[in-house]
Amino acid sequence: MNQAKVLNLMSKINFRIFPKARNLKNVDGPEGRILKLQKSMTALLKYERIEMNYNRADETRGYIELLILKALHCGPQDKMTMELANFWILEKQLVYKLFNPLIQRFHKCNPPYTNFYTSPRDYPGMYYKRVILELKGHPFPEISTRSSHKGPLIQNLLLNEARREYCLQKYFITKIKP
C-alpha cells in the first residue's frame, strides 16, 4: 500500500541516464585498487594536500569523508570506527592524528571536510585530468582560482568594459523587442 503511494508521487517521464564510466582498473585487481586507496588516504592524512588523477582523487575523497564523519560521530572508543581507521590508514601514528587534532579541527565544521581543485594540465603532455585534494583548515597557503579576465592589466580592463557593454546592450534589446 505504501509502494502505491510512492509510485504515484514519482514522475512518469521515461528516459535513461547513462552513468559515466570511471576508469578505476588496476593490474593487481581489487586488492591493488584497495591498496592504492589506502596509500592515497594515508598520504592525505600525512601531508593534508596531495595532487593525483581525478578518478583516484574522487574515490579517495569519498572514503576520507566517510572516515572523518565516523570518527567525529563515534570517536576513538568505538570498535568499528577504530577497525575502519586501522584498515584504511597504513601508518598507524596517523590514526592518532585523525582522532586528536583533525577531529578537533572539524568538530565545528560542516561537511565536506576536503577541498577539490582541478590543476592545470601540461599541454600537450598529460592526458589525465589532475586535481588537488586537501583537508580543510590545513596550514599551507590557499590555492586561489584566478580568472583570466581579472587584474590590473589594461587589456583585462578593456575586455571587462566591453563585456559589460555587450551584456547591457543585449539586455536592452531583448527588453524592447517583446
Side-chain angles (χ1 to χ4, degrees):
M1 191 157 150
N2 288 337
Q3 284 181 339
K5 291 179 183 178
V6 171
L7 288 176
N8 289 337
L9 296 174
M10 292 173 57
S11 175
K12 301 292 183 183
I13 299 174
N14 186 16
F15 73 95
R16 298 177 70 188
I17 298 174
F18 297 101
K20 187 176 180 182
R22 291 170 48 177
N23 188 11
L24 300 173
K25 297 175 187 167
N26 194 310
V27 200
D28 300 328
E31 294 85 13
R33 184 166 160 242
I34 289 174
L35 182 63
K36 274 189 175 183
L37 285 171
Q38 288 172 333
K39 287 179 182 179
S40 299
M41 290 177 68
T42 302
L44 183 62
L45 287 175
K46 186 175 187 178
Y47 302 115
E48 297 193 18
R49 179 188 284 172
I50 54 176
E51 182 180 358
M52 57 178 50
N53 292 340
Y54 177 83
N55 290 333
R56 187 168 168 192
D58 186 35
E59 193 169 12
T60 302
R61 184 181 193 190
Y63 284 110
I64 200 77
E65 291 283 343
L66 178 71
L67 183 63
I68 291 171
L69 195 64
K70 287 277 191 187
L72 269 172
H73 287 296
C74 302
Q77 294 81 15
D78 187 38
K79 183 181 176 186
M80 296 293 282
T81 307
M82 281 303 287
E83 287 177 5
L84 190 67
N86 283 325
F87 177 77
W88 286 113
I89 303 170
L90 296 177
E91 297 179 19
K92 299 309 172 196
Q93 67 267 21
L94 294 176
V95 174
Y96 173 79
K97 182 180 180 180
L98 170 71
F99 284 108
N100 284 331
L102 290 181
I103 294 306
Q104 291 170 2
R105 183 193 312 169
F106 297 134
H107 186 66
K108 294 181 182 176
C109 276
N110 292 331
Y113 305 110
T114 57
N115 291 326
F116 201 71
Y117 300 105
T118 58
S119 71
R121 194 183 305 191
D122 296 335
Y123 183 79
M126 306 227 351
Y127 173 75
Y128 294 110
K129 189 175 181 182
R130 301 287 288 177
V131 296
I132 297 169
L133 183 63
E134 65 182 12
L135 294 175
K136 287 186 178 177
H138 56 80
F140 305 116
E142 184 179 338
I143 295 176
S144 61
T145 54
R146 284 186 264 148
S147 180
S148 61
H149 56 56
K150 292 182 181 175
L153 299 176
I154 187 69
Q155 60 265 33
N156 291 338
L157 294 173
L158 291 172
L159 285 171
N160 282 341
E161 192 61 30
R163 186 179 298 110
R164 189 179 68 80
E165 286 179 13
Y166 174 76
C167 289
L168 285 174
Q169 184 182 23
K170 186 177 176 183
Y171 176 74
F172 284 122
I173 290 174
T174 56
K175 280 295 224 183
I176 295 171
K177 277 187 179 179

